Amino acid sequence: MNARMISFVFGTVFVAVGLLGFTPNPVVSIEGFFAVNTVHNLVHILTGITFIACAYRFPGNESTVVKIIGLVYFAVTALGFMTSGNMMLGIIHINEADRWLHLGLAIVIFVSGFVFSDKQPKLSNQQPA
């Protein structure tokens, strides 16, 4: 797996979670384990689209993009922990589970930018001897 693939994986998961937040479920909803509202869901979808778009737009630099998004999530984490109550910036519904999930995501995303290479696997038409 390389940085481009991990960017697609993160992007797909973020879009899926964002869409899941619009359906009634006990995990990701306004009353779920992870408290989200429409704006929070849209942020997840936008994050996912950013991961996927950057994998196409910046080929060979995907690990840098992943690191940058990881740093953004560290900022989101800090903002979430500094927020008193359940409304970050007055528009994004969060709870304690969201705060800790954002920290975990920030770490995993940022570290992934270092672990996964930008190098694309070479395809060979040569038959082994």
Side-chain angles (χ1 to χ4, degrees), residues 35 37 39-40 43 83 86-94 102:
N37 60 0
V39 177
H40 200 153
V43 169
T83 299
N86 292 330
M87 293 299 284
M88 185 166 53
L89 302 175
I91 58 171
I92 301 172
H93 192 90
I94 62 171
H102 290 152

Side-chain angles (χ1 to χ4, degrees), residues 7-120:
S7 189
F8 283 126
V9 169
F10 283 141
T12 302
V13 170
F14 271 91
V15 169
V17 169
L19 293 174
L20 180 65
F22 288 111
T23 62
N25 69 82
V27 179
V28 182
S29 66
I30 194 74
E31 298 294 326
F33 184 76
F34 297 104
V36 297
N37 60 0
T38 299
V39 177
H40 200 153
N41 293 328
L42 292 173
V43 169
H44 287 155
I45 292 169
L46 181 62
T47 301
I49 290 170
T50 301
F51 269 117
I52 294 167
C54 288
Y56 281 111
R57 179 69 177 100
F58 303 108
N61 295 304
E62 294 91 347
S63 66
T64 301
V65 171
V66 170
K67 290 174 199 170
I68 291 169
I69 294 173
L71 290 173
V72 169
Y73 261 77
F74 275 116
V76 167
T77 299
L79 186 59
F81 279 114
M82 290 187 297
T83 299
S84 61
N86 292 330
M87 293 299 284
M88 185 166 53
L89 302 175
I91 58 171
I92 301 172
H93 192 90
I94 62 171
N95 64 9
E96 200 63 23
D98 289 309
R99 290 175 176 95
W100 289 103
L101 176 64
H102 290 152
L103 176 59
L105 286 171
I107 293 167
V108 169
I109 293 168
F110 186 69
V111 169
S112 293
F114 290 98
V115 171
F116 295 99
S117 169
D118 286 326
K119 294 180 183 173
Q120 302 300 317

